Structure formats: structure tokens, C-alpha cells
């Protein structure tokens, strides 16, 4: 007879989570780094009490905002290269829905996170409960249905026994490199508290090791043949290279073949920035070195990338005549995009097997030399825009230069939205794999500080430097207090250009009037003069406003020995961004307008669109 143990569904859930393990560098570790929780009705009595019971093996962390705590959970998983992750639990209604944006962030970025929103009573007796939305035509609908399109796997637990297959499926999705993404288990309030006789075997310790898929022989042969025929090949690397731990395999492949590499936002730091054949950022926010090669390449080997519009220049960039795209990806959906020759495999396995198949073959030297020259030219440009200055309002690039000089490359630099992603992608000199943490899949304003907290939890040995604009900071800064509370130090550099600078620039570039982006251009009675340093200090941070690039460098150097989260604020110029490098980005301009600026912008837009190729 099956041995059983009588537990509530919530107790079974937390006990199960605590017993899922992984192995990293030979050490066995719990695969869940913990659970973020904000309690309310719908989770305090059920899962809240169960988490208390499991608090030694499965730590619970309290945050100030459900979206932010989920950002922290997601960033934790990313900084762990998807090998460890976290769960997040909320009350029903607003608490749950505050998590939806973060679910989408994880979905877009293919990152694992277990979301446990509370849900209505499955027995429906007390309906409608506080915070319950009533659907006049569908008795099964709850607000948590909003998670469906942004979850890789969604389930609603309406009977206690359902948690057994649901958690099994959840673990499959969270640990599968191809399927990886957010899992939402909506937990009906009454069911969380309901007892059930669970099989004891369900709680046996389980070790999860990532699957490394090897390529199909036919696909490998086709990819190798395409590369052997290439005269001007280029490798585009995305986050899949980092998650696969394929940096060494990539470096070996590049050494053996001489093929230059360029990096997406997600793939940056796959090779160190100073690697001879790393052209660094590609696409809309790319270096001139990378984009020059991308325009001409005859075979593009895309490794572990989703090929989003910032990478492909809205598909105007890779325009080599008769070019072939090879898609090396664990996920067939990505591997075959744009009619690529698919090479479905783990990045490391795929690169190693491609290297064997190409043994003895090398790219024509002229192409490699061209790449090396382009890189030197770019580095000279980048050096100019990041050099120290004493202008009153420095550019983002000049601030990046200061941070890099003061902190070096042996930190984890993080950003998500605003003008910074473009500047960081072009200009930050990344060091070791994972030293550059961009959330540019969903580019969520407000990811920065909470995300950095998750990174610090994953990598307490590293200095974590957050680059954030005033707009993003104002949207979500509450986890500064959590970082102070948990003793997890972050260094935050806040660039105050008094508004949504990058969108203002985009507005001007598309013929728009300066409207509703910079504070001065928005409807106001009084122009706010926000004291960000005072604000951050009120949350417990050490905070300082600096008035020049050199003062910033001095303050950053001093902050290294601070044990508490430090926020350094600097005023910057909203109108300046780095002109060198870059590529066209498709932003639709109105086709008719009474404003001549818009008409002119549309004319230019129609011209630029001609470079776009449809379908490949
Ligand atoms: C949640 C969210 N809302 C809106 C946007 C669109 N958006 C992208 S950047 C940006 C402005 C960011 O302002 P700030 O952080 O000050 O950076 P800046 O553009 O000034 O560099 C906006 C509104 C977004 N990415 N995320
Ligand atoms: Mg701003």
C-alpha cells in the first residue's frame, strides 16, 4: 500500500519545493533559492502558514511590491544562468495582478520563476469575496486568467490532489532549457488549507540537471556545409550562450575558425569585451564594427538568440545578397525563425559539434582582418564618448565611462529601460560571463533596483552596479528598503535628466513635438525639483548627489567600502546620445499629418523601410 502523509495542499507544496535540488560545480543545492511573499487574504493563512513551517529549508523574503519582488526572483534566476530560481506568492486580486507584468518579463526573457497567486474559493460558497471580479457569463473566470498568455504553463488548483501532477509539470517547464519560462499555479484559497493524503514518495528529494540536447546529424551537416561555403560569416550570440555555459566553446570555435562574433543585449559578456574577434553589440544599439559586418555577412550563425528587432535592425540589417541564416537554438521556434537552417541543440553541444565538423576550415583572412580593424576603429570612437569631462550636464555615455573607470569590469552591471540600455550595450566593457545584466527583452521600467537585489542574492560575492534613469527610479524604487533590510548592498547610479529622455528623443526623431516626456514639456503647475538623494536616504540608503563626472568617480570609489546600498545621483543631459554605431529601428510614423515635421519624418521612414526584407 502507498504510504501517505496528511498535509494541507499548501504544506505539500512548500515541502515539495524544499526538496527539489540542483548541482552546481559539484555542490548539491536547493533549486529554489527561496520564496518572495506579500501576504493578504488568499495566501496568508494557507501558504503563509505553510511557509512558516518550512522556513529553515525554504526561506521566505518579504518585499514592498509584488511586481518588484518578482523582478528580484527573475533576476536571481538569470544571474544563476537559470540553474536556480525562486517562487513568488501573492494574495488574490490586486496583489496577484501586480505580478502579471513581471510574468510577461520572465516569459519574454525565457526565465524560470514559479508564481503562486492566491485565487478565489473553489467551493464558491462565500462568493463574491473581497477582491473577486465577477464574470457575468463565465463562472470559472478569475483575475488570474490574466496570467495565461504570459505563463509558459498555467494551472488553477481547485482540488488538493491536483498539486501533485501540477508541480511535476511545473518543474519540467522551469528546468527545461527549451520550454523555460514562468509557471503560474493559481492557488484557490480554500484548497490551500484543505488536507489530503499525499503519497510520501512525492516528497522524496529530487535532483534536477539541465538537459543538453545534441544536434541532429542532418541539421549539423547542413549547417557545417553552409559555413564551409561562407566567405563572410558572422556569429550572433544571445542569452542562450550564457545559459548553456558555452563561452569557452564559443571562444574555441572562434579561435579555430576565425569567425567574428557580435552580441545581443542578452548575449553580451559571452566573450570578454576585449576579445580580439568580439565586435560586441550588434543591431540598433550596436557598434559600427559589428553592424558593418552584419550588413555584409553571407552566413549568419545565430546562437541562442530570439532575433528581436533590436538585433536585426527591424530586419533591415542582415542584407548580404543571398545570405544564409543558421539558427542554433534549443528551441525549434527560434531555430527556424526567418527561414533559417535550423540547428536545434544546446549552444555548447552545438558549437562543439560544429567545430568538429569544420575541423581545418578557416574563414578567409581578409574577413577576419577587416573585423579586427573595425573593432579598433570602434574602440577609438567609444573612448572619445566615454572620456572624462567637466561639462555641467554630462551624457549617459560619460557617466558610463566614469562608472567603468571607478568599478572596472569585475562587477555585475545592470540596466533595463530608458536611454541607458542603448548606451550600455554599445559602451560597457563586459568582463566575465554574466557580468552584464540587461533586461532588454521586455525593457521594464522599474526592473532595475529590484532586479539588482535578485542578482545580489545570487552573487553576494560581486559588486552589483545598477544604472537607472529618473523615470525608472520613480516608477519602482521600494526595494531599496528591502536591500537595506536584507543587508544586500547595491550601488545605484541614478541619471537624472528630468524626464523620459529617450522617448523624448524618439519623439523628435519621428517628427513629434516635444510633448509629455520631459517634465518641462508635460502639463504642470509647478516643475518638480525632486531630491532623489533625500528620497533614497529616506529608504535607508547611503545617498549623495554629485555634481561632476570626477566627483562621481570619487564617490563610486568611496562607495566600494560601504556595506549598505548606496545611491549616487547625477544630473545628465536629456538631449545627447551616442551617435557612433547604431542602426535603424522601425517605429511607425503617421502617414498623414498637418505637421510638416511628421510629413518629413514619414518620408524618411518610407525610404528606410525599403531596406527591410520580408520573411527572411
Ligand atoms: C513600465 C514601462 N512603461 C513605459 C515604458 C516605455 N519607456 C521606455 S523608456 C521610458 C523612459 C524612461 O525614463 P528614464 O528612466 O528617466 O530614462 P531616460 O529615457 O531619461 O534615459 C519609457 C516611458 C517602459 N519601457 N516600461
Ligand atoms: Mg530620465
Amino acid at each position: 500500500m502507498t504510504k501517505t502523509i496528511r498535509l494541507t495542499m499548501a504544506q505539500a507544496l512548500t515541502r515539495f519545493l524544499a526538496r527539489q535540488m540542483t548541482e552546481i560545480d559539484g555542490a548539491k543545492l536547493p533549486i529554489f533559492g527561496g520564496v518572495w511573499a506579500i501576504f493578504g487574504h488568499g495566501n496568508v493563512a494557507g501558504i503563509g502558514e505553510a511557509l512558516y513551517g518550512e522556513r529553515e529549508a525554504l526561506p521566505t523574503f518579504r518585499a514592498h511590491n509584488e511586481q518588484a519582488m518578482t523582478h528580484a526572483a527573475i533576476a536571481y534566476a538569470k544571474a544563476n544562468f537559470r540553474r536556480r530560481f525562486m517562487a513568488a506568492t501573492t494574495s488574490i486580486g490586486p496583489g496577484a495582478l501586480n505580478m502579471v507584468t513581471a510574468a510577461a518579463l520572465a516569459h519574454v526573457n525565457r526565465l524560470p520563476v514559479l508564481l503562486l497567486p492566491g485565487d478565489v474559493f473553489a467551493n464558491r460558497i462565500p462568493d463574491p469575496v473581497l477582491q473577486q471580479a465577477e464574470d457575468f457569463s463565465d463562472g470559472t473566470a478569475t483575475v488570474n486568467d490574466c496570467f495565461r498568455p504570459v505563463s509558459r504553463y498555467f494551472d488553477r488548483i481547485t482540488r488538493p490532489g491536483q498539486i501533485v501532477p501540477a508541480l511535476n509539470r511545473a518543474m519540467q517547464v522551469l528546468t527545461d532549457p527549451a520550454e523555460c519560462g514562468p509557471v503560474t499555479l493559481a492557488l484557490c484559497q480554500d484548497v490551500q488549507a484543505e488536507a489530503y493524503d499525499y503519497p510520501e514518495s512525492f516528497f522524496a528529494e529530487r535532483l534536477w540537471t539541465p538537459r543538453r540536447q545534441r544536434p541532429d546529424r542532418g541539421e549539423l551537416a547542413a549547417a557545417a556545409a553552409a559555413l564551409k561555403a561562407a566567405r563572410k560569416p558572422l556569429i550572433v550570440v544571445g542569452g542562450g550562450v550564457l545559459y548553456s555555459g558555452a563561452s569557452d566553446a564559443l571562444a574555441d570555435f572562434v579561435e579555430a575558425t576565425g569567425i567574428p562574433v557580435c552580441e545581443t543585449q542578452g548575449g553580451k559578456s559571452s566573450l570578454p569585451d576585449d576579445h580580439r574577434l568580439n565586435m560586441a553589440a550588434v543591431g540598433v544599439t550596436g557598434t559600427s564594427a559589428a553592424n558593418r559586418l552584419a550588413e555584409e555577412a553571407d552566413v549568419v550563425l545565430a546562437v541562442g538568440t530570439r532575433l528581436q528587432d533590436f538585433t536585426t535592425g527591424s530586419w533591415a540589417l542582415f542584407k548580404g545578397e543571398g545570405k544564409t541564416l543558421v539558427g542554433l537554438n534549443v528551441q525549434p521556434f527560434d531555430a527556424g525563425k526567418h527561414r533559417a537552417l535550423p540547428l536545434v541543440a544546446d549552444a555548447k553541444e552545438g558549437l562543439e559539434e560544429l567545430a568538429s565538423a569544420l575541423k581545418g576550415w578557416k574563414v578567409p583572412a581578409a574577413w577576419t582582418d577587416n573585423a579586427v580593424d573595425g573593432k579598433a576603429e570602434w574602440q577609438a570612437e567609444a573612448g572619445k564618448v566615454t572620456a572624462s569631462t567637466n561639462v555641467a550636464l554630462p551624457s549617459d555615455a560619460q557617466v558610463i565611462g566614469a562608472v567603468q573607470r571607478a568599478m572596472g569590469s569585475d562587477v555585475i552591471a545592470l540596466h533595463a529601460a530608458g536611454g541607458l540600455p542603448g548606451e550600455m550595450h554599445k559602451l560597457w566593457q563586459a568582463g566575465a560571463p554574466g557580468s552584464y545584466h540587461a533586461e532588454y527583452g521586455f525593457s521594464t521600467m522599474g526592473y532595475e533596483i529590484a532586479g539588482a537585489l535578485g542578482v545580489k542574492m545570487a552573487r553576494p560575492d560581486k559588486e552589483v552596479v545598477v544604472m537607472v534613469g529618473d523615470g525608472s527610479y520613480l516608477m519602482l524604487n521600494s526595494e531599496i528598503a528591502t536591500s537595506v533590510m536584507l543587508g544586500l548592498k547595491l550601488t545605484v547610479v541614478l541619471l537624472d535628466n528630468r524626464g523620459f529622455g529617450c522617448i523624448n528623443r524618439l519623439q523628435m526623431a519621428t517628427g513629434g513635438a516635444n510633448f509629455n516626456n520631459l517634465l518641462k514639456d508635460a502639463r504642470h503647475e509647478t516643475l518638480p525639483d525632486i531630491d532623489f538623494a533625500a528620497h533614497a536616504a529616506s529608504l535607508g540608503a547611503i545617498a549623495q548627489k554629485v555634481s561632476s563626472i570626477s566627483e562621481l568617480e570619487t564617490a563610486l570609489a568611496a562607495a566600494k567600502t560601504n556595506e549598505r546600498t548606496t545611491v549616487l545621483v547625477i544630473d545628465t543631459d536629456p538631449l545627447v546620445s551616442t551617435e557612433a554605431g547604431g542602426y535603424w529601428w522601425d517605429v511607425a510614423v503617421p502617414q498623414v499629418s498637418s505637421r510638416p515635421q511628421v510629413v518629413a519624418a514619414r518620408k524618411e521612414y518610407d525610404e528606410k523601410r525599403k531596406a527591410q526584407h520580408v520573411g527572411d
Side-chain angles (χ1 to χ4, degrees):
M1 220 182 82
T2 313
K3 275 185 95 176
T4 59
I5 174 166
R6 194 159 177 77
L7 296 169
T8 67
M9 181 269 268
Q11 288 161 353
L13 169 84
T14 53
R15 183 176 288 216
F16 175 91
L17 296 186
R19 282 162 176 67
Q20 309 307 305
M21 311 299 281
T22 189
E23 204 176 73
I24 295 177
D25 299 332
K28 195 168 76 172
L29 295 164
I31 203 161
F32 284 92
V35 181
W36 285 97
I38 292 183
F39 296 143
H41 106 95
N43 73 337
V44 66
I47 196 155
E49 175 62 14
L51 282 170
Y52 177 74
E54 208 63 61
R55 67 194 178 284
E56 295 302 328
L58 184 68
T60 297
F61 304 97
R62 181 193 177 285
H64 296 283
N65 173 294
E66 290 88 355
Q67 181 183 343
M69 76 185 186
T70 312
H71 288 171
I74 295 165
Y76 176 88
K78 186 178 174 106
N80 270 302
F81 304 106
R82 311 200 296 192
R83 300 289 297 276
R84 298 185 74 197
F85 32 79
M86 301 182 96
T89 171
T90 71
S91 55
I92 82 162
L97 290 197
N98 268 358
M99 213 160 47
V100 173
T101 304
L105 187 164
H107 192 281
V108 167
N109 285 286
R110 316 280 170 88
L111 289 167
V113 64
L114 178 61
L115 307 177
L116 303 169
D119 212 322
V120 300
F121 279 73
N123 69 26
R124 303 193 189 172
I125 295 168
D127 284 9
V129 301
L130 175 72
Q131 301 171 325
Q132 177 170 351
E134 293 175 278
D135 189 309
F136 297 159
S137 62
D138 182 351
T140 67
T142 84
V143 296
N144 285 339
D145 289 302
C146 295
F147 283 97
R148 287 180 191 270
V150 288
S151 298
R152 193 69 70 197
Y153 164 52
F154 174 90
D155 210 342
R156 176 172 291 119
I157 307 301
T158 58
R159 304 290 299 272
Q162 290 170 351
I163 203 74
V164 176
L167 281 172
N168 190 49
R169 177 71 189 129
M171 290 307 297
Q172 279 181 333
V173 172
L174 294 168
T175 59
D176 184 321
E179 277 200 287
C180 191
V183 170
T184 302
L185 300 181
L187 306 174
C188 288
Q189 168 166 180
D190 50 340
V191 185
Q192 287 178 38
E194 209 173 316
Y196 183 79
D197 294 312
Y198 289 93
E200 270 194 355
S201 57
F202 182 54
F203 305 107
E205 196 176 282
R206 171 117 191 229
L207 185 69
W208 298 87
T209 46
R211 179 179 301 120
R212 284 202 181 277
Q213 186 169 343
R214 294 174 61 181
D216 170 78
R217 279 183 223 157
E219 289 188 356
L220 181 68
L227 281 164
K228 275 186 184 165
R231 311 282 304 157
K232 299 173 172 184
L234 178 67
I235 304 171
V236 180
V237 300
V241 170
L242 292 165
Y243 301 144
S244 155
S247 288
D248 289 348
L250 175 66
D252 291 348
F253 185 78
V254 169
E255 275 324 309
T257 61
I259 307 179
V261 172
C262 57
E263 298 172 322
T264 71
Q265 284 276 14
K268 192 168 160 91
S269 80
S270 291
L271 289 181
D273 201 81
D274 58 9
H275 186 289
R276 187 177 71 97
L277 286 178
N278 185 4
M279 306 295 109
V282 68
V284 178
T285 53
T287 68
S288 55
N291 287 346
R292 195 167 85 182
L293 300 189
E295 279 190 320
E296 272 188 69
D298 58 0
V299 176
V300 177
L301 173 62
V303 189
T305 165
R306 300 183 305 124
L307 292 170
Q308 64 127 309
D309 61 351
F310 265 76
T311 301
T312 64
S314 301
W315 217 243
L317 175 53
F318 297 100
K319 56 182 171 200
E321 258 312 293
K323 148 212 101 254
T324 304
L325 181 64
V326 179
L328 168 50
N329 207 295
V330 275
Q331 174 51 257
F333 180 88
D334 297 307
K337 274 180 180 166
H338 302 290
R339 298 194 290 120
L341 279 181
L343 181 58
V344 177
D346 166 71
K348 183 166 178 286
E349 293 289 339
L351 285 168
E352 284 173 356
E353 295 205 20
L354 260 183
S356 303
L358 292 174
K359 215 173 178 73
W361 177 84
K362 235 179 154 52
V363 130
W367 181 243
T368 310
D369 295 345
N370 176 22
V372 172
D373 291 349
K375 181 174 172 89
E377 279 168 34
W378 169 257
Q379 282 176 320
E381 277 303 320
K384 280 185 219 158
V385 295
T386 52
S388 192
T389 173
N390 53 15
V391 293
L393 283 182
S395 64
D396 290 4
Q398 287 162 337
V399 172
I400 289 169
V403 175
Q404 189 105 54
R405 287 189 294 276
M407 308 298 281
S409 293
D410 190 27
V411 295
I412 300 180
L414 181 146
H415 65 83
L420 280 163
E423 300 293 308
M424 287 290 283
H425 193 211
K426 274 185 191 174
L427 301 169
W428 185 260
Q429 290 159 23
S435 61
Y436 179 86
H437 186 119
E439 195 288 275
Y440 209 59
F442 211 44
S443 190
T444 311
M445 288 173 75
Y447 175 82
E448 295 89 344
I449 289 163
L453 178 58
V455 173
K456 188 69 179 175
M457 290 175 114
R459 300 295 306 272
D461 55 313
K462 289 283 178 196
E463 283 282 334
V464 180
V465 184
V466 187
M467 306 289 288
V468 64
D470 54 310
S472 262
Y473 178 92
L474 285 176
M475 209 172 265
L476 200 43
N477 51 61
S478 49
E479 304 323 310
I480 286 178
T482 312
S483 79
V484 173
M485 199 165 148
L486 292 173
L488 293 167
K489 179 210 167 178
L490 312 173
T491 303
V492 181
V493 180
L494 196 166
L495 292 80
D496 180 9
N497 58 12
R498 297 151 304 285
F500 302 151
C502 74
I503 308 296
N504 178 57
R505 293 195 297 272
L506 182 61
Q507 188 169 47
M508 291 191 286
T510 50
N514 292 36
F515 170 60
N516 211 47
N517 279 310
L518 297 182
L519 295 175
K520 71 174 177 55
D521 302 326
R523 194 178 288 261
H524 63 271
E525 293 290 327
T526 311
L527 210 50
D529 184 14
I530 300 163
D531 187 342
F532 287 99
H535 181 274
S538 77
L539 295 175
I542 299 167
Q544 183 188 344
K545 172 131 187 201
V546 298
S547 55
S548 67
I549 287 291
S550 66
E551 215 181 291
L552 175 63
E553 279 182 64
T554 309
L556 280 165
K560 281 188 194 164
T561 52
N562 290 354
E563 284 182 2
R564 210 160 11 113
T565 289
T566 303
V567 178
L568 301 174
V569 184
I570 184 163
D571 283 343
T572 52
D573 190 332
L575 298 176
V576 185
S577 65
T578 300
E579 289 191 4
Y583 215 74
W584 180 70
W585 183 38
D586 190 342
V587 176
V589 180
Q591 208 164 2
V592 288
S593 171
S594 56
R595 298 185 59 252
Q597 296 92 327
V598 176
V599 173
R602 175 71 197 200
K603 203 159 166 252
E604 193 187 332
Y605 174 68
D606 287 335
E607 258 326 288
K608 290 274 169 60
R609 279 189 72 193
K610 289 183 185 156
Q612 264 176 329
H613 21 128
V614 181
D616 66 343

